[in-house]
Amino acid sequence: QVRLVESGGDLVQTGGSLRLSCAASGSIARIYLMGWYRQAPGKQRDLVASIAGDRPYYVDGVKGRFTISKTDRKNPLYLQMNNLQPEDRAVYYCYAKTVLPEREYWGQGTHVTVSS
């Protein structure tokens, strides 16, 4: 079992910055991939960025603005968000994948609101 807890969501103005954090606990030795998803009101939950080992991946809409990183092997996980835009408004969820057994875990989400 893995528990994920996000923090750092806030209200920011367009062009502002925010850093989200995700703390994992439990069977973290089984985690091989972690990342961030987001879900805007009335829309599906979509991938934002992920990292496996030291290899990050970003969707096209956030490349150059967002940075996913970690200070240790798994904890904590960060998402540095710069030049935030109104379309970035969403609930951001931390997730993790494990092996042996293969499972997916989700945090409860943290709200990011971008205003003009």
Short mmCIF file of all heavy atoms in Angstrom, two decimals, residues 31-64:
data_model
loop_
_atom_site.label_atom_id
_atom_site.label_comp_id
_atom_site.label_asym_id
_atom_site.label_seq_id
_atom_site.Cartn_x
_atom_site.Cartn_y
_atom_site.Cartn_z
N ILE A 31 7.66 1.59 -5.80
CA ILE A 31 7.33 2.63 -6.77
C ILE A 31 8.42 2.74 -7.82
O ILE A 31 9.60 2.85 -7.49
CB ILE A 31 7.12 3.99 -6.08
CG1 ILE A 31 5.95 3.93 -5.11
CG2 ILE A 31 6.90 5.09 -7.12
CD1 ILE A 31 5.78 5.18 -4.28
N TYR A 32 8.02 2.71 -9.08
CA TYR A 32 8.98 2.93 -10.16
C TYR A 32 8.67 4.17 -10.99
O TYR A 32 9.52 4.62 -11.75
CB TYR A 32 9.08 1.71 -11.07
CG TYR A 32 7.93 1.52 -12.03
CD1 TYR A 32 7.99 2.02 -13.33
CD2 TYR A 32 6.79 0.84 -11.65
CE1 TYR A 32 6.95 1.85 -14.21
CE2 TYR A 32 5.73 0.66 -12.52
CZ TYR A 32 5.82 1.17 -13.80
OH TYR A 32 4.78 0.99 -14.68
N LEU A 33 7.47 4.70 -10.86
CA LEU A 33 7.08 5.89 -11.60
C LEU A 33 6.16 6.74 -10.74
O LEU A 33 5.28 6.22 -10.05
CB LEU A 33 6.38 5.51 -12.91
CG LEU A 33 5.94 6.64 -13.83
CD1 LEU A 33 6.07 6.22 -15.29
CD2 LEU A 33 4.49 7.06 -13.53
N MET A 34 6.37 8.04 -10.77
CA MET A 34 5.49 8.99 -10.12
C MET A 34 5.17 10.12 -11.08
O MET A 34 5.92 10.36 -12.03
CB MET A 34 6.10 9.55 -8.84
CG MET A 34 6.38 8.51 -7.78
SD MET A 34 6.91 9.24 -6.20
CE MET A 34 5.36 9.95 -5.63
N GLY A 35 4.08 10.81 -10.82
CA GLY A 35 3.73 11.89 -11.71
C GLY A 35 2.58 12.73 -11.19
O GLY A 35 2.12 12.57 -10.06
N TRP A 36 2.14 13.63 -12.06
CA TRP A 36 1.05 14.55 -11.76
C TRP A 36 0.01 14.49 -12.85
O TRP A 36 0.34 14.54 -14.04
CB TRP A 36 1.55 15.99 -11.63
CG TRP A 36 2.46 16.21 -10.46
CD1 TRP A 36 3.81 16.14 -10.44
CD2 TRP A 36 2.05 16.56 -9.13
NE1 TRP A 36 4.29 16.43 -9.18
CE2 TRP A 36 3.23 16.68 -8.36
CE3 TRP A 36 0.81 16.78 -8.53
CZ2 TRP A 36 3.20 17.02 -7.01
CZ3 TRP A 36 0.78 17.11 -7.18
CH2 TRP A 36 1.97 17.22 -6.44
N TYR A 37 -1.25 14.39 -12.45
CA TYR A 37 -2.39 14.54 -13.32
C TYR A 37 -3.18 15.76 -12.88
O TYR A 37 -3.01 16.25 -11.76
CB TYR A 37 -3.30 13.31 -13.26
CG TYR A 37 -2.84 12.12 -14.07
CD1 TYR A 37 -1.70 11.41 -13.72
CD2 TYR A 37 -3.57 11.69 -15.18
CE1 TYR A 37 -1.29 10.31 -14.44
CE2 TYR A 37 -3.17 10.58 -15.91
CZ TYR A 37 -2.03 9.90 -15.53
OH TYR A 37 -1.63 8.80 -16.26
N ARG A 38 -4.06 16.23 -13.74
CA ARG A 38 -4.94 17.32 -13.36
C ARG A 38 -6.31 17.12 -13.97
O ARG A 38 -6.45 16.49 -15.02
CB ARG A 38 -4.37 18.69 -13.76
CG ARG A 38 -4.27 18.93 -15.25
CD ARG A 38 -3.57 20.26 -15.51
NE ARG A 38 -3.43 20.54 -16.93
CZ ARG A 38 -2.74 21.56 -17.42
NH1 ARG A 38 -2.11 22.39 -16.59
NH2 ARG A 38 -2.67 21.75 -18.73
N GLN A 39 -7.32 17.65 -13.30
CA GLN A 39 -8.69 17.53 -13.75
C GLN A 39 -9.39 18.87 -13.56
O GLN A 39 -9.58 19.32 -12.43
CB GLN A 39 -9.43 16.43 -12.98
CG GLN A 39 -10.82 16.15 -13.51
CD GLN A 39 -11.41 14.89 -12.90
OE1 GLN A 39 -10.97 14.43 -11.85
NE2 GLN A 39 -12.40 14.33 -13.57
N ALA A 40 -9.77 19.48 -14.66
CA ALA A 40 -10.52 20.71 -14.63
C ALA A 40 -12.00 20.39 -14.44
O ALA A 40 -12.45 19.28 -14.73
CB ALA A 40 -10.31 21.50 -15.93
N PRO A 41 -12.78 21.35 -13.96
CA PRO A 41 -14.21 21.10 -13.75
C PRO A 41 -14.90 20.61 -15.03
O PRO A 41 -14.76 21.22 -16.08
CB PRO A 41 -14.75 22.46 -13.31
CG PRO A 41 -13.58 23.14 -12.70
CD PRO A 41 -12.39 22.70 -13.51
N GLY A 42 -15.62 19.52 -14.92
CA GLY A 42 -16.35 18.97 -16.05
C GLY A 42 -15.52 18.25 -17.07
O GLY A 42 -16.05 17.85 -18.12
N LYS A 43 -14.23 18.06 -16.82
CA LYS A 43 -13.35 17.41 -17.77
C LYS A 43 -12.71 16.17 -17.15
O LYS A 43 -12.75 15.96 -15.94
CB LYS A 43 -12.27 18.37 -18.27
CG LYS A 43 -12.81 19.56 -19.03
CD LYS A 43 -11.70 20.42 -19.59
CE LYS A 43 -12.25 21.57 -20.40
NZ LYS A 43 -11.17 22.42 -20.96
N GLN A 44 -12.10 15.37 -18.01
CA GLN A 44 -11.44 14.16 -17.55
C GLN A 44 -10.10 14.49 -16.90
O GLN A 44 -9.56 15.58 -17.07
CB GLN A 44 -11.23 13.19 -18.72
CG GLN A 44 -10.26 13.66 -19.77
CD GLN A 44 -10.07 12.67 -20.89
OE1 GLN A 44 -10.81 11.70 -21.01
NE2 GLN A 44 -9.07 12.89 -21.72
N ARG A 45 -9.59 13.51 -16.18
CA ARG A 45 -8.29 13.65 -15.55
C ARG A 45 -7.20 13.32 -16.56
O ARG A 45 -7.20 12.24 -17.15
CB ARG A 45 -8.20 12.73 -14.34
CG ARG A 45 -6.97 12.93 -13.49
CD ARG A 45 -7.01 12.04 -12.25
NE ARG A 45 -8.16 12.32 -11.40
CZ ARG A 45 -8.37 11.73 -10.23
NH1 ARG A 45 -7.51 10.83 -9.76
NH2 ARG A 45 -9.46 12.03 -9.54
N ASP A 46 -6.27 14.25 -16.76
CA ASP A 46 -5.24 14.10 -17.79
C ASP A 46 -3.85 14.19 -17.18
O ASP A 46 -3.61 14.90 -16.21
CB ASP A 46 -5.37 15.19 -18.86
CG ASP A 46 -6.62 15.05 -19.70
OD1 ASP A 46 -7.02 13.90 -20.00
OD2 ASP A 46 -7.21 16.09 -20.08
N LEU A 47 -2.93 13.48 -17.81
CA LEU A 47 -1.54 13.51 -17.39
C LEU A 47 -0.93 14.89 -17.64
O LEU A 47 -1.18 15.51 -18.68
CB LEU A 47 -0.74 12.45 -18.15
CG LEU A 47 0.77 12.42 -17.92
CD1 LEU A 47 1.09 11.97 -16.49
CD2 LEU A 47 1.45 11.51 -18.93
N VAL A 48 -0.12 15.35 -16.71
CA VAL A 48 0.63 16.58 -16.85
C VAL A 48 2.12 16.28 -17.03
O VAL A 48 2.76 16.75 -17.97
CB VAL A 48 0.43 17.52 -15.65
CG1 VAL A 48 1.29 18.77 -15.79
CG2 VAL A 48 -1.04 17.88 -15.50
N ALA A 49 2.68 15.52 -16.10
CA ALA A 49 4.09 15.19 -16.13
C ALA A 49 4.33 13.94 -15.31
O ALA A 49 3.56 13.63 -14.40
CB ALA A 49 4.94 16.35 -15.59
N SER A 50 5.39 13.24 -15.63
CA SER A 50 5.76 12.05 -14.89
C SER A 50 7.27 11.92 -14.87
O SER A 50 7.98 12.56 -15.65
CB SER A 50 5.11 10.80 -15.49
OG SER A 50 5.59 10.56 -16.80
N ILE A 51 7.74 11.08 -13.96
CA ILE A 51 9.17 10.83 -13.87
C ILE A 51 9.39 9.39 -13.45
O ILE A 51 8.77 8.90 -12.50
CB ILE A 51 9.86 11.82 -12.91
CG1 ILE A 51 11.38 11.63 -12.94
CG2 ILE A 51 9.30 11.71 -11.50
CD1 ILE A 51 12.13 12.79 -12.30
N ALA A 52 10.24 8.71 -14.19
CA ALA A 52 10.66 7.35 -13.89
C ALA A 52 12.17 7.35 -13.77
O ALA A 52 12.87 7.70 -14.73
CB ALA A 52 10.21 6.39 -14.98
N GLY A 53 12.66 7.00 -12.59
CA GLY A 53 14.07 7.21 -12.33
C GLY A 53 14.36 8.69 -12.35
O GLY A 53 13.75 9.47 -11.61
N ASP A 54 15.25 9.11 -13.22
CA ASP A 54 15.56 10.53 -13.40
C ASP A 54 15.08 11.06 -14.74
O ASP A 54 15.49 12.14 -15.16
CB ASP A 54 17.07 10.76 -13.28
CG ASP A 54 17.59 10.52 -11.89
OD1 ASP A 54 16.86 10.81 -10.92
OD2 ASP A 54 18.73 10.03 -11.76
N ARG A 55 14.21 10.33 -15.40
CA ARG A 55 13.74 10.69 -16.73
C ARG A 55 12.36 11.32 -16.65
O ARG A 55 11.37 10.63 -16.39
CB ARG A 55 13.72 9.48 -17.65
CG ARG A 55 15.08 8.82 -17.84
CD ARG A 55 15.01 7.70 -18.84
NE ARG A 55 14.05 6.68 -18.45
CZ ARG A 55 13.75 5.63 -19.20
NH1 ARG A 55 14.32 5.46 -20.38
NH2 ARG A 55 12.86 4.75 -18.77
N PRO A 56 12.25 12.63 -16.91
CA PRO A 56 10.94 13.29 -16.87
C PRO A 56 10.23 13.26 -18.20
O PRO A 56 10.85 13.16 -19.27
CB PRO A 56 11.31 14.73 -16.49
CG PRO A 56 12.65 14.93 -17.14
CD PRO A 56 13.35 13.60 -17.07
N TYR A 57 8.92 13.35 -18.15
CA TYR A 57 8.09 13.46 -19.33
C TYR A 57 7.07 14.56 -19.08
O TYR A 57 6.50 14.66 -17.99
CB TYR A 57 7.36 12.14 -19.62
CG TYR A 57 6.28 12.27 -20.66
CD1 TYR A 57 6.59 12.25 -22.01
CD2 TYR A 57 4.95 12.44 -20.29
CE1 TYR A 57 5.61 12.38 -22.97
CE2 TYR A 57 3.96 12.57 -21.24
CZ TYR A 57 4.29 12.54 -22.58
OH TYR A 57 3.31 12.67 -23.53
N TYR A 58 6.80 15.38 -20.12
CA TYR A 58 5.83 16.46 -20.03
C TYR A 58 4.90 16.42 -21.23
O TYR A 58 5.34 16.14 -22.36
CB TYR A 58 6.52 17.82 -20.01
CG TYR A 58 7.54 17.99 -18.91
CD1 TYR A 58 8.88 17.73 -19.14
CD2 TYR A 58 7.15 18.42 -17.65
CE1 TYR A 58 9.81 17.89 -18.14
CE2 TYR A 58 8.08 18.58 -16.64
CZ TYR A 58 9.41 18.31 -16.89
OH TYR A 58 10.33 18.47 -15.88
N VAL A 59 3.64 16.74 -21.01
CA VAL A 59 2.74 16.93 -22.13
C VAL A 59 3.09 18.25 -22.80
O VAL A 59 3.69 19.15 -22.19
CB VAL A 59 1.27 16.91 -21.68
CG1 VAL A 59 0.92 15.55 -21.09
CG2 VAL A 59 0.97 18.03 -20.70
N ASP A 60 2.71 18.38 -24.07
CA ASP A 60 3.12 19.54 -24.86
C ASP A 60 2.68 20.86 -24.26
O ASP A 60 3.40 21.85 -24.33
CB ASP A 60 2.58 19.42 -26.29
CG ASP A 60 3.27 18.34 -27.09
OD1 ASP A 60 4.36 17.91 -26.68
OD2 ASP A 60 2.72 17.94 -28.13
N GLY A 61 1.53 20.91 -23.65
CA GLY A 61 1.00 22.16 -23.15
C GLY A 61 1.74 22.77 -21.98
O GLY A 61 1.54 23.95 -21.67
N VAL A 62 2.61 21.99 -21.32
CA VAL A 62 3.31 22.50 -20.15
C VAL A 62 4.82 22.51 -20.33
O VAL A 62 5.54 23.00 -19.45
CB VAL A 62 2.94 21.72 -18.87
CG1 VAL A 62 1.44 21.70 -18.67
CG2 VAL A 62 3.50 20.30 -18.93
N LYS A 63 5.31 22.01 -21.44
CA LYS A 63 6.75 22.01 -21.69
C LYS A 63 7.30 23.43 -21.67
O LYS A 63 6.73 24.34 -22.26
CB LYS A 63 7.07 21.35 -23.03
CG LYS A 63 6.91 19.85 -23.05
CD LYS A 63 7.27 19.27 -24.41
CE LYS A 63 7.11 17.77 -24.44
NZ LYS A 63 7.41 17.21 -25.78
N GLY A 64 8.40 23.61 -20.95
CA GLY A 64 9.00 24.92 -20.83
C GLY A 64 8.45 25.75 -19.70
O GLY A 64 9.04 26.78 -19.34
#
